[in-house]
């Protein structure tokens, strides 16, 4: 058991814990993943059957990485673990046992976009105002209900929920909820929330099934326990009720997903359900400098709802946190990009060492513009994922409908793509007939003469024949052969190939990339089942965090703080740290909401390993208006001994100084303008160390250093108004003053 030598005292105590419930409070950067990984390896080395170990994570990527690490310690036995996300494990159980609830083994899993599309259709069919019954709002309302195990029947009979909907002028949400559930069931489909909701129903209504899995799982382990919702915790508590070997790892200080239904009380009140609980605290931080760790502690200490702990580190003291003010959000973008450029050159860092974190996605614009301007490569995380692109979803819809002919959303997507003369009016008639006759879509379209007029019948028959041929082909071939056959014979590939625009070529390449991923899936020896239905299940459970990045490219990471959880970077910028933005103005009406925002700030701080910048602006455009801003209360909560409060960037006084400085060197006619339109820069080859130069924004300065190697053409110039600046001469304009 050499692996135990890699652990500190507290980590080892958690890993070798024998039996009974155990709560591991893992502070930021304290080696949480290592403890969970070694715990599972230790169980297997202690002769626990890996088939009897259930390990639940929140991303497939995390599960795969942990399983790979465990395999390096214990060998291929690790492949027998029940390890994966809550959704993937419960989907696996439902594929085997879902027939007890009326679902076939090949039920479809609707992603968020599919669900919202169905809700939009229902709202239209009910002749409701789509501006009032927005699909996002209705979807979130239904999702939150399911996460709290409120069925559509319970929802309709709950006076509080009905009053809330009536007050919001949306009194028919319970009706939409009921229709939505029935339409999903008729389509043999479950959405993501159903995978949890239906597992709970399965265990509640079928005790024999619950007993089977209670006996099977001798050990239940949960990662990121603070992110579990009510439904997830209830299911795992039931599964662990017999053996009571439940091992959970988490950090209450990093509970930031209440908007997704996460319940912080699950970790705060865990002892109430397991009074024999053993608690181990991992308080040594291996990631960050002492300054960053202590600063983060000084913030989170302000929360009242928390588990007491004192995170510490043996790492170096490190630099103070740099607090920077700018005059506007555009100036903030320029300031951040310049600071990244300076840090890169001063400390020989690469783009991947940097992250810019923000509270809302819209804040990335000014950062992106400034990074592009000086030629620094970046990647915005949280945008449209590969599997959400239209052309990818189109082919996936063909694949799904070939497996499950009751899938309404896939039917809607492919029935007239490529065009076959079946317009929206015809589709509406088919849907209406399906609802009226209480028949599946497939029953209607495969018997068109019985249910549809002759025009639609003639148009739909070739489509039905095509799907039957795809269905038969996929039964006898692997996922790649089936997908390639369907992509070609549906006309989809030709449709994309014929569009030779840049966008069209890109869409065609995306479909080829999907086919490549299917080939990779069937070539993977770990995937025993090679059928199309198995592949579709695999990708339906992918999350944004599971997308692989290109390893050969170096990017500066731009993302919301929520997306940054679990990551770490040498240098981190937290931008827009202003009142009403961070904390969000929508999250300051209760102490619980404010404390969640503070935990989010704590998460942001603890992503930094070596250097942390916090920036805020005096003005910012929000909702089309220029607003005055003030520094966030969270900045003021950091103990001042950890902050370098020097503010020497673009603020109002700075702008005045620049204009004043430049005015000294302009003729009286030009003093009316703060921009010198006629400014002409000198040739780069004429620049020398010691020369006085003028910059159109920074004013008068002296060249301290020049670097003309490798065509970088950089200069360090000391300006009277802003101090030293490193400039790229290929972009910056400098005029020699004689």
């Amino acid at each position: 058991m050499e692996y135990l030598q890699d652990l500190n005292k507290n980590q080892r105590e958690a890993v070798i814990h024998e039996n009974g419930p155990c709560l591991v409070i893992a502070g930021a950067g304290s080696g949480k993943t290592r403890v969970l990984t070694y715990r599972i390896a230790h169980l297997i080395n202690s002769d626990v059957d890996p088939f009897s170990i259930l390990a639940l994570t929140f991303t497939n990527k995390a599960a795969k990485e942990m399983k790979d690490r465990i395999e390096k310690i214990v060998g291929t036995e690790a492949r027998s673990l029940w390890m994966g996300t809550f959704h993937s494990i419960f989907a696996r159980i439902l594929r085997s046992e879902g027939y007890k609830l009326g679902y076939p083994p090949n039920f479809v899993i609707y992603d968020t976009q599919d669900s919202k599309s169905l809700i939009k259709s229902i709202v239209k069919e009910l002749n409701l105002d789509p501006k009032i019954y927005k699909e996002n709002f209705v979807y979130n309302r239904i999702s939150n209900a399911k996460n709290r195990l409120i069925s559509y029947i319970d929802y309709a009979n709950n006076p509080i929920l009905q009053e809330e909907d009536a007050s919001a002028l949306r009194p028919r949400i319970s009706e939409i909820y009921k229709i939505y559930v029935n339409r999903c069931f008729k389509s043999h489909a479950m959405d993501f929330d159903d995978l949890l909701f239906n597992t709970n129903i399965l265990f509640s209504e079928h005790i024999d099934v619950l007993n089977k899995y209670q006996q099977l799982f001798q050990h239940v382990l949960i990662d990121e326990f603070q992110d579990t919702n009510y439904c997830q915790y209830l299911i795992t508590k039931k599964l662990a009720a017999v053996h009571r070997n439940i091992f959970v790892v988490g950090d209450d200080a990093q509970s930031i997903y209440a908007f997704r239904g996460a319940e912080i009380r699950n970790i705060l009140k865990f002892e109430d359900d397991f009074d024999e609980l053993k608690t181990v605290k991992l308080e040594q931080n291996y990631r960050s400098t002492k300054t960053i760790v202590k600063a983060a502690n000084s913030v989170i200490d302000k929360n009242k709802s928390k588990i007491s702990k004192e995170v510490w580190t043996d790492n170096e003291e490190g630099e103070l946190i740099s607090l920077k003010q700018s005059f506007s959000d555009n100036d903030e973008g320029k300031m951040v990009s310049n600071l990244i450029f300076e840090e890169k050159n001063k400390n020989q860092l690469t783009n991947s060492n940097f992250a810019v974190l923000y509270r809302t996605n819209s804040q990335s614009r000014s950062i992106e513009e400034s990074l592009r301007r000086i030629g620094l490569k970046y990647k915005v995380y949280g945008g449209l994922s590969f599997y959400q692109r239209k052309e990818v979803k189109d082919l996936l819809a063909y694949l799904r409908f070939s497996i499950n002919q009751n899938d309404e959303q896939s039917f809607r997507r492919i029935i007239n793509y490529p065009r076959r003369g079946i317009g929206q009016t015809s589709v509406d008639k088919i849907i209406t007939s399906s609802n009226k006759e209480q028949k599946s879509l497939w029953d209607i379209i495969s018997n068109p003469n019985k249910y549809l007029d002759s025009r639609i019948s003639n148009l739909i028959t070739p489509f039905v024949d095509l799907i039957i041929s795809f269905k038969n082909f996929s039964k006898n071939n692997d996922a790649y052969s089936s997908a390639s056959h369907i992509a070609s014979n549906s006309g989809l590939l030709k449709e994309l190939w014929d569009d030779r625009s840049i966008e069209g070529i890109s869409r065609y390449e995306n479909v080829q990339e999907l086919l490549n991923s299917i080939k990779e899936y069937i070539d993977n020896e770990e995937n025993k089942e090679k059928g199309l239905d198995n592949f579709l299940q695999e990708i339906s459970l992918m999350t944004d965090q599971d997308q692989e990045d290109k390893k050969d490219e170096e990017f500066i990471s731009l993302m919301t703080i929520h997306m940054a959880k679990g990551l770490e970077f040498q240098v981190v910028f937290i931008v827009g740290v202003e009142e009403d933005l961070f904390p969000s103005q929508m999250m300051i009406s209760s102490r619980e909401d404010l404390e969640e925002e503070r935990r989010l700030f704590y998460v942001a701080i603890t992503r930094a390993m070596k250097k942390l910048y916090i920036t805020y602006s005096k003005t910012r455009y929000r909702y089309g208006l220029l607003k005055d801003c003030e520094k966030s209360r969270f900045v003021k909560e950091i103990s001042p001994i950890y902050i370098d409060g020097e503010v020497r960037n673009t603020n109002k006084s700075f702008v005045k100084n620049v204009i004043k400085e430049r005015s000294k060197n302009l003729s009286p006619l030009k003093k009316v303008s703060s921009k010198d339109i006629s400014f002409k820069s000198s040739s780069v080859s004429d620049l020398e160390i010691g020369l006085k130069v003028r910059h159109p924004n920074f004013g008068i300065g002296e060249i301290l250093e020049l670097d003309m190697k490798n065509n970088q053409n950089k200069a360090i110039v000391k300006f009277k108004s802003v101090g030293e600046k490193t400039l790229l001469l290929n972009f910056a304009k400098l005029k020699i003053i004689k």
Side-chain angles (χ1 to χ4, degrees):
M1 298 188 182
E2 294 179 4
Y3 55 89
L4 294 178
Q5 305 304 314
D6 298 335
L7 305 172
N8 66 33
K9 179 173 174 281
N10 289 32
Q11 290 173 336
R12 183 187 174 97
E13 182 183 358
V15 166
I16 65 174
H17 170 70
E18 292 188 1
N19 292 307
C22 182
L23 168 63
V24 180
I25 301 298
S30 63
K32 166 185 69 69
T33 304
R34 171 177 286 189
V35 166
L36 199 56
T37 300
Y38 283 20
R39 168 67 178 169
I40 296 170
H42 187 71
L43 288 173
I44 295 173
N45 280 339
S46 301
D47 296 326
V48 175
D49 185 349
F51 281 102
S52 70
I53 299 173
L54 170 64
L56 298 165
T57 67
F58 276 85
T59 67
N60 294 296
K61 186 177 179 182
K64 184 179 184 307
E65 287 176 355
M66 277 197 275
K67 190 178 278 190
D68 288 345
R69 290 193 201 179
I70 295 166
E71 188 171 337
K72 287 179 181 177
I73 299 172
V74 302
T76 55
E77 279 189 281
R79 298 181 186 180
S80 301
L81 290 164
W82 281 70
M83 185 172 223
T85 64
F86 285 89
H87 293 92
S88 66
I89 294 295
F90 296 157
R92 181 176 169 184
I93 292 173
L94 288 167
R95 298 253 179 229
S96 298
E97 316 288 349
Y99 69 92
K100 292 179 179 287
L101 303 178
Y103 288 91
N106 66 340
F107 64 82
V108 170
I109 299 173
Y110 279 173
D111 63 20
T112 303
Q113 195 178 90
D114 295 324
S115 297
K116 289 179 180 178
S117 178
L118 176 55
I119 288 168
K120 189 175 182 179
S121 300
I122 294 168
V123 168
K124 182 181 178 183
E125 291 164 19
L126 293 174
N127 293 315
L128 299 174
D129 187 343
K131 293 180 182 176
I132 295 176
Y133 289 89
K134 294 178 180 178
E135 60 264 33
N136 281 353
F137 180 89
V138 178
Y139 170 79
N140 288 330
R141 195 77 172 152
I142 293 172
S143 176
N144 288 335
K146 288 182 180 179
N147 284 330
R148 289 181 287 158
L149 296 178
I150 300 172
S151 69
Y152 71 83
I153 297 172
D154 296 331
Y155 192 101
N157 293 323
N158 187 309
I160 296 175
L161 294 174
Q162 294 306 304
E163 177 59 32
E164 288 175 354
D165 288 343
S167 299
L169 303 178
R170 299 181 179 97
R172 298 181 69 181
I173 284 183
S174 60
E175 184 180 356
I176 298 171
Y177 186 3
K178 178 180 178 179
I179 296 171
Y180 172 79
V181 169
N182 290 332
R183 291 277 275 277
C184 285
F185 184 75
K186 193 167 73 169
S187 294
H188 295 167
M190 295 189 202
D191 63 23
F192 262 44
D193 297 313
D194 286 330
L195 297 175
L196 307 178
F197 187 85
N198 287 335
T199 301
N200 192 74
I201 292 175
L202 182 69
F203 288 162
S204 298
E205 297 182 357
H206 300 274
I207 302 302
D208 57 324
V209 178
L210 175 61
N211 288 340
K212 171 183 172 181
Y213 289 98
Q214 283 178 330
Q215 296 300 327
L216 173 61
F217 300 133
Q218 295 177 29
H219 290 267
V220 177
L221 301 96
I222 305 175
D223 189 20
E224 304 287 7
F225 184 60
Q226 76 282 346
D227 294 335
T228 53
N229 61 33
Y230 173 70
C231 190
Q232 287 165 328
Y233 179 47
L234 199 61
I235 294 169
T236 50
K237 188 170 74 169
K238 286 179 181 177
L239 288 173
V242 172
H243 296 288
R244 297 187 74 79
N245 292 324
I246 184 168
F247 185 94
V248 302
V249 182
D251 181 8
D252 58 296
Q254 297 185 69
S255 179
I256 58 173
Y257 292 116
F259 68 95
R260 292 184 188 167
E263 293 274 8
I264 191 173
R265 68 171 66 96
N266 288 349
I267 192 168
L268 295 178
K269 303 295 183 182
F270 189 56
E271 191 172 6
D272 293 351
D273 291 322
F274 296 93
D275 51 13
E276 74 273 40
L277 180 70
K278 177 184 180 68
T279 300
V280 180
K281 295 180 182 180
L282 307 182
E283 297 171 303
Q284 183 174 0
N285 179 296
Y286 292 93
R287 175 188 300 153
S288 307
T289 64
K290 284 188 174 71
T291 296
I292 291 169
V293 168
K294 291 175 182 176
N297 287 345
S298 70
V299 169
I300 204 63
D301 279 347
K302 308 297 188 298
N303 273 6
K304 292 184 179 179
S305 298
K306 64 179 185 292
I307 296 173
S308 175
K309 62 180 174 297
E310 186 65 33
V311 180
W312 58 277
T313 184
D314 271 339
N315 293 341
E316 63 184 354
E317 197 68 36
E319 296 183 51
L320 293 175
I321 296 169
S322 291
L323 178 63
K324 302 289 185 183
Q325 179 195 75
S326 60
F327 179 58
S328 70
D329 45 356
N330 281 335
D331 289 329
E332 182 181 53
K334 293 172 188 173
M335 175 179 71
V336 169
S337 58
N338 286 336
L339 286 168
I340 290 175
F341 181 81
E342 291 175 10
E343 284 278 356
K344 276 189 70 176
N345 288 284
K346 184 171 70 174
N347 297 311
Q348 288 77 52
L349 298 173
T350 63
N351 286 340
S352 62
N353 295 138
F354 295 87
V356 182
L357 309 181
Y358 33 77
R359 180 64 180 84
T360 63
N361 276 306
S362 61
Q363 291 171 252
S364 73
R365 180 196 57 81
S366 62
I367 309 294
E368 288 186 69
E369 289 177 359
S370 299
L371 290 173
R372 275 200 304 270
R373 195 173 290 119
I374 64 173
L376 290 174
K377 293 173 79 172
Y378 65 90
K379 179 173 182 178
V380 180
Y381 289 78
L384 192 66
S385 72
F386 176 78
Y387 290 104
Q388 293 301 319
R389 293 185 170 98
K390 179 187 180 302
E391 60 277 9
V392 173
K393 282 191 74 76
D394 287 339
L395 178 52
L396 287 175
Y398 266 106
L399 304 184
R400 284 181 6 179
F401 200 69
S402 299
I403 298 297
N404 174 10
Q405 288 77 48
N406 293 298
D407 182 358
E408 179 182 331
Q409 289 310 297
S410 293
F411 170 78
R412 285 178 178 274
R413 195 167 193 105
I414 65 175
I415 183 59
N416 200 38
Y417 181 75
R419 292 185 182 279
R420 48 178 63 91
I422 304 175
Q424 189 58 48
T425 302
S426 298
V427 173
D428 289 342
K429 287 180 180 178
I430 295 169
I431 301 293
T432 301
S433 180
S434 171
N435 294 333
K436 179 183 175 183
E437 301 291 338
Q438 290 295 296
K439 299 283 186 181
S440 70
L441 282 171
W442 187 248
D443 287 336
I444 300 298
I445 65 175
S446 58
N447 297 283
N449 295 326
K450 184 177 179 180
Y451 299 109
L452 304 169
D453 62 48
S454 59
R455 189 190 70 83
I456 300 177
S457 178
N458 291 333
L459 291 171
I460 204 77
T461 299
F463 173 76
V464 171
D465 292 340
L466 187 70
I467 296 301
I468 291 173
S469 73
F470 292 165
K471 178 182 179 181
N472 292 333
F473 188 93
S474 63
K475 282 181 180 176
N476 303 309
N477 291 276
D478 63 36
Y480 177 71
S481 300
S482 300
S484 299
H485 176 81
I486 293 170
S488 298
N489 290 279
S490 64
L492 186 147
L493 272 182
K494 182 179 185 303
E495 180 89 0
L496 295 173
W497 176 260
D498 289 344
D499 181 0
R500 304 314 293 163
S501 66
I502 294 175
E503 294 80 8
I505 293 169
S506 176
R507 286 191 286 268
Y508 180 82
E509 289 173 347
N510 284 336
V511 169
Q512 292 297 331
E513 183 60 30
L514 175 60
L515 294 173
N516 291 340
S517 72
I518 301 176
K519 185 66 166 67
E520 186 178 333
Y521 171 82
I522 68 163
D523 288 345
N524 187 338
E525 292 181 4
E526 288 188 26
N527 298 321
K528 305 301 181 188
E529 302 294 332
K530 310 291 186 181
L532 188 56
D533 54 342
N534 301 101
F535 171 77
L536 290 172
Q537 178 185 332
E538 182 91 3
I539 63 163
S540 68
L541 295 164
M542 294 279 280
T543 67
D544 288 343
Q545 291 94 331
D546 294 322
Q547 302 299 316
E548 287 295 326
D549 303 323
K550 293 181 180 178
K551 304 296 184 198
D552 58 339
E553 293 195 71
E554 287 279 341
F555 299 101
I556 295 164
S557 297
L558 275 58
M559 65 184 79
T560 64
I561 301 164
H562 283 101
M563 287 223 51
K565 187 167 171 290
L567 304 178
E568 58 185 32
F569 303 90
Q570 293 282 329
V571 183
V572 168
F573 291 80
I574 313 174
V575 300
V577 188
E578 300 142 22
E579 281 295 300
D580 292 340
L581 183 56
F582 196 13
S584 166
Q585 61 186 359
M586 295 182 289
M587 297 289 285
I588 55 176
S589 57
S590 70
R591 181 171 68 83
E592 289 78 14
D593 286 346
L594 182 60
E595 290 200 350
E596 170 125 345
E597 287 287 286
R598 189 176 285 114
R599 292 194 293 270
L600 190 59
F601 189 53
Y602 174 84
V603 167
I605 292 172
T606 54
R607 298 313 92 198
M609 300 169 71
K610 298 290 186 184
K611 178 67 179 176
L612 176 64
Y613 287 90
I614 296 174
T615 73
Y616 65 99
S617 295
K618 299 296 288 181
T619 62
R620 184 178 298 274
Y621 274 97
R622 299 195 71 193
Y623 311 111
L625 298 173
L626 186 64
K627 303 259 189 183
D628 287 330
C629 305
E630 64 172 304
K631 182 168 55 179
S632 169
R633 70 188 75 183
F634 292 156
V635 175
K636 299 170 186 176
E637 290 176 354
I638 299 175
S639 178
I641 62 173
Y642 306 122
I643 294 180
D644 174 4
E646 180 186 1
V647 178
R648 56 186 180 91
N649 295 289
T650 313
N651 52 36
K652 288 181 179 177
S653 60
F654 166 73
V655 172
K656 289 177 182 176
N657 288 339
V658 170
I659 294 173
K660 181 179 178 182
E661 182 64 35
R662 292 175 61 229
S663 296
K664 291 178 184 177
N665 299 284
L666 299 174
S667 67
L669 289 175
K670 291 183 178 177
K671 284 184 182 180
V672 295
S673 172
S674 65
K675 288 188 183 263
D676 186 356
I677 297 171
S678 64
F679 187 95
K680 275 185 121 181
S681 59
S682 302
S683 171
V684 172
S685 60
D686 293 335
L687 298 179
E688 296 178 8
I689 294 174
L691 285 179
K692 288 200 178 301
V693 291
R694 189 167 78 234
H695 185 276
N697 291 328
F698 302 138
I700 303 293
E702 179 182 347
I703 298 176
L704 300 181
E705 293 183 32
L706 281 172
D707 182 359
M708 302 296 190
K709 298 174 184 175
N710 302 320
N711 293 318
Q712 288 190 31
N713 294 346
K714 292 186 298 186
I716 296 178
V717 182
K718 185 173 184 179
F719 294 99
K720 293 180 180 179
S721 56
V722 294
E724 290 184 14
K725 287 284 180 184
T726 302
L727 304 175
L728 282 174
L729 299 177
N730 293 336
F731 300 96
K733 293 183 177 182
L734 293 176
K735 184 175 183 179
I736 298 171
I737 300 173
K738 296 182 180 178

